């Protein structure tokens, strides 16, 4: 993939794992995850090792007992939410296929317009402003700007981007835990005049106790990302007054089952959510779109991964882009699979 830089590091290749869970009913479920070691602490290699253990646990078990199958994974190993999300996805694909329904309908959802933002990685202010202008010309309406390297430079980045695109485009920023508390106060107060929609994860999670104070000082709304992996994290962030919004990612939550719990808890508290992700292909992106259709409290969509520089598309079927809007056909289950020609060139094993 094209190298992509955020505050915690640069990724020059996607570390994805694709799985198929076969059933005795003659069909299989698909799942995909994308390891992002600087964030979640897993790599492609760790995902593969743990996947072998997971696969053995499910032999001879009922694939439609979703919660029981997921509990087996949690009892096997703590954490490892990235690879767990692939297995979770495959279970939901199986359940929806068994019901003969697209996943979003199986989850009780309905179609709606979903328009993604488009992300600008960290570079010089001039380079980022130029990229913002290019995205505007391509029809983008929402920019997500990666920051967090240095607060003074970040203010200049946002200033030049706003000048490049004018007032119409929405700008949201993501510091990826890059700022100290003082840097966050400075940057957010300085950026208030540039009409910023929200700021994702301004500080490291070990400063979560200072988020209520930052919330009072910031003119920009705060979205929790790395501070919320599961619905218990969400409860603590919301109850302590630490965030305005929450970013849900399958690689953090461990998949759809936990993501739904985060969504429902946040909805009950009046905290809107965003659908985010790592560097998944259109396979996992398809599952995320189904989840969005079934999750009315997801109000923001950061679903541009497949537009950011994947050099190969391994997906058959699945999500399509109409400009920055996402669509998917009504096929049973997730409606996406991996291309056999692509798989033939990959490392693979069966359990």
């Amino acid at each position: 993939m094209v190298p992509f830089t955020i505050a915690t590091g640069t990724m020059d290749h996607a570390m994805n794992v694709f799985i198929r869970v076969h059933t005795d009913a003659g069909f299989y479920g698909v799942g995909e995850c994308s390891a992002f070691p600087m964030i979640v602490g897993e790599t492609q290699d760790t995902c593969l090792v743990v996947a072998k253990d997971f696969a053995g646990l499910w032999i001879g078990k009922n694939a439609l007992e979703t919660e029981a199958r997921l509990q087996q994974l949690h009892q096997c190993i703590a954490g490892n939410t990235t690879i767990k999300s692939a297995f979770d996805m495959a279970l939901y694909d199986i359940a929806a296929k068994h019901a003969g329904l697209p996943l979003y309908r199986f989850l009780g959802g309905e179609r709606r317009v979903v328009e993604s933002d488009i992300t600008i990685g960290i570079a010089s202010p001039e380079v980022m402003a130029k990229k913002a202008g290019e995205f505007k010309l391509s029809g983008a309406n929402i920019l997500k700007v990666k920051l967090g390297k240095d607060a003074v430079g970040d203010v200049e980045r946002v200033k030049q981007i706003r000048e490049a695109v004018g007032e119409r485009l929405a700008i949201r920023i993501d510091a990826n835990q890059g700022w100290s508390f003082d840097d966050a106060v400075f940057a957010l107060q300085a950026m208030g005049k540039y009409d910023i929609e929200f700021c994702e994860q301004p500080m490291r999670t070990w400063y979560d106790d200072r988020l209520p104070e930052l919330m009072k000082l910031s003119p920009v709304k705060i979205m929790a990302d790395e501070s919320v992996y599961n619905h218990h994290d969400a409860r603590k962030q919301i109850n302590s007054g630490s965030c305005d919004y929450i970013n849900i990612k399958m690689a953090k939550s461990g998949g759809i089952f936990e993501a739904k719990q985060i969504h429902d808890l946040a909805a009950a508290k009046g905290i809107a959510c965003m659908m985010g992700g790592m560097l998944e292909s259109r396979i996992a992106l398809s599952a995320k779109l189904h989840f969005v259709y079934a999750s009315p409290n997801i109000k923001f969509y950061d679903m541009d991964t497949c537009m950011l520089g994947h050099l190969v598309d391994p997906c058959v079927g699945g999500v399509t882009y109409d400009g920055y809007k996402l669509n998917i056909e009504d096929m049973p289950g997730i409606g996406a699979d991996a291309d056999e020609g692509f798989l033939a060139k990959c490392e693979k094993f069966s359990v």
Side-chain angles (χ1 to χ4, degrees), residues 264-339:
D264 292 353
L265 185 147
K269 299 285 190 175
I271 300 292
C273 296
M274 179 162 78
M275 187 78 251
M278 301 305 184
L279 296 173
E280 297 91 346
S281 78
R282 288 192 304 111
I283 300 169
L285 182 66
S286 299
K288 291 193 288 183
L289 182 59
H290 283 287
F291 179 69
V292 166
Y293 284 160
S295 306
N297 191 49
I298 294 180
K299 309 291 189 184
F300 311 107
Y301 318 106
D302 180 30
M303 302 172 71
D304 60 345
T305 297
C306 304
M307 305 172 75
L308 286 176
H310 282 198
L311 301 179
V312 179
D313 180 3
C315 181
V316 175
V319 163
T320 57
Y321 287 99
D322 177 12
Y324 292 90
K325 294 177 180 176
L326 284 72
N327 299 288
I328 195 165
E329 293 187 6
D330 274 355
M331 302 291 288
I334 290 170
D337 204 342
D339 177 74

Side-chain angles (χ1 to χ4, degrees), residues 110-269:
E110 58 185 31
R111 290 178 174 275
R112 55 192 164 102
V113 175
V114 175
E115 181 176 3
S116 179
D117 60 23
I118 187 72
T119 304
I120 302 174
I122 297 177
S124 69
E126 294 76 18
V127 168
M128 292 176 74
K130 181 174 182 292
K131 178 61 72 172
E134 292 170 357
F135 284 146
K136 179 183 179 181
L137 289 174
S138 73
N141 291 308
I142 312 160
L143 301 178
K144 178 173 174 176
V145 180
K146 293 290 189 178
L147 303 173
K149 284 290 190 183
D150 69 287
V152 174
D154 287 340
V155 174
E156 182 63 22
R157 290 177 173 94
V158 169
K159 174 178 179 290
Q160 290 198 27
I161 288 170
R162 177 53 80 193
E163 290 173 349
V165 301
E167 297 180 2
R168 183 183 63 81
L169 268 66
I171 296 177
R172 52 188 63 156
I173 61 176
D174 184 0
N176 278 118
Q177 308 182 80
W179 293 326
S180 67
F181 176 81
D182 290 340
D183 283 346
V185 172
F186 164 78
L188 293 172
Q189 289 185 346
M191 292 177 193
K193 61 186 175 183
Y194 299 121
D195 188 22
I196 305 303
E197 189 175 24
F198 56 75
C199 173
E200 276 187 70
Q201 201 67 34
M203 305 181 294
R204 285 279 182 181
T205 57
W206 50 68
Y207 295 127
D208 279 356
D209 61 320
R210 302 205 70 182
L211 281 169
E213 184 181 359
L214 181 63
M215 289 270 287
K216 293 175 182 175
L217 294 170
S218 173
V220 178
K221 291 184 181 297
I222 304 297
M223 175 178 283
D225 183 0
E226 289 88 350
S227 293
V228 174
Y229 273 57
N230 54 51
H231 72 283
H232 298 295
D233 295 332
R235 183 190 71 250
K236 289 186 285 186
Q237 290 290 301
I238 294 169
N239 289 349
S240 61
S242 296
C243 65
D244 296 287
Y245 307 125
I246 290 172
N247 187 358
I248 297 174
K249 294 177 179 174
M250 299 300 176
K252 292 186 302 168
S253 71
I256 293 169
F257 184 84
E258 182 65 29
K260 185 178 187 326
Q261 294 186 73
I262 298 170
H263 169 274
D264 292 353
L265 185 147
K269 299 285 190 175

Side-chain angles (χ1 to χ4, degrees), residues 57-65 69 72:
L57 294 174
W58 284 0
I59 294 174
K61 302 295 185 182
N62 186 347
L64 298 178
E65 295 174 347
R69 297 291 74 77
Q72 282 185 281

